Amino acid sequence: MVADGGMDEDLRYPIGPFEAPAEITPTLRAAYIDTIAATPALARAAVAGLDDRQLDTRYREGGWTVRQVIHHLADDHLNSYLRSRLALTEDDCVIRPYEEPRWAELPDARTAPPGCSLELLDALHVRWVALFRGMTESDFARSFVHPRSGRSRTLAELLALYDWHGRHHVAQITRLRERMGW
């Protein structure tokens, strides 16, 4: 258990909250890209064989269902792929945020089969990984600003975040499966 958050924090952040490394080296970037390349297959394996009742189970009290987590991965990674492209092509890029909790409550996120988002992740990650692998050192230093926080984030930081993000959500599902004996 996490000292200040207890069991709920463990369920919400099964691999721990994101912590940006002090330095993102080329070796770390290569490992992060490999993780991002593997994320769709890991997500697919995490939900393999689950029925609708299991897909509609919340990974924790007050959290999203397994189905919503898979659709969120596709939604969020698509947004971040577009943010990557914007940061590479626009100077002083300010991205457009979106309301993640509200997107998760839309009818498709609550009811659509996860396979459609898994297929989207497959294709999206092929493109995103190709983009990352073709980037230069100066490309990774390019940044965007999130208008809500006013914080600037480099593409190297975004890469580190999405290495974590995929593993984080896959772990929410796999830990639920372990707890439920699925």
Side-chain angles (χ1 to χ4, degrees):
M1 283 204 263
V2 176
D4 60 348
M7 181 60 81
D8 189 53
E9 280 298 305
D10 283 345
L11 297 178
R12 186 171 181 200
Y13 295 106
I15 65 169
F18 174 69
E19 292 184 27
E23 180 184 3
I24 301 172
T25 65
T27 301
L28 270 179
R29 285 197 313 257
Y32 294 158
I33 293 168
D34 288 345
T35 299
I36 289 170
T39 296
L42 295 172
R44 188 177 301 282
V47 298
L50 296 181
D51 60 30
D52 281 336
R53 180 188 59 80
Q54 293 165 324
L55 290 168
D56 293 329
T57 301
R58 296 184 184 282
Y59 77 91
R60 68 173 177 89
E61 187 176 327
W64 289 333
T65 66
V66 171
R67 185 185 311 270
Q68 287 171 306
V69 170
I70 292 296
H71 293 313
H72 164 73
L73 275 172
D75 291 341
D76 196 59
H77 290 204
L78 180 59
N79 271 285
S80 291
Y81 168 71
L82 294 173
R83 290 170 179 176
S84 300
R85 295 180 67 80
L86 290 168
L88 287 167
T89 59
E90 297 179 11
D91 294 329
D92 303 315
C93 178
V94 177
I95 57 98
R96 186 180 189 292
Y98 74 103
E99 299 295 331
E100 293 177 33
R102 292 179 71 185
W103 281 40
E105 293 302 326
L106 292 172
D108 62 327
R110 287 185 293 103
T111 63
C116 61
S117 282
L118 293 168
E119 290 174 17
L120 177 58
L121 277 174
D122 286 336
L124 175 62
H125 279 236
V126 168
R127 288 281 306 272
W128 206 8
V129 166
L131 179 67
F132 282 137
R133 287 193 172 139
M135 288 170 51
T136 65
E137 191 75 31
S138 63
D139 289 337
F140 280 106
R142 292 190 61 91
S143 62
F144 60 84
V145 173
H146 196 292
R148 287 192 185 134
S149 68
R151 183 187 183 284
S152 180
R153 179 169 300 209
T154 68
L155 290 179
E157 292 169 323
L158 178 113
L159 178 63
L161 175 62
Y162 280 85
D163 162 89
W164 172 86
H165 189 259
R167 292 182 300 108
H168 161 70
H169 285 302
V170 167
Q172 288 174 334
I173 296 167
T174 57
R175 301 277 170 84
L176 171 66
R177 289 187 78 149
E178 291 168 6
R179 288 192 314 276
M180 300 300 283
W182 297 339

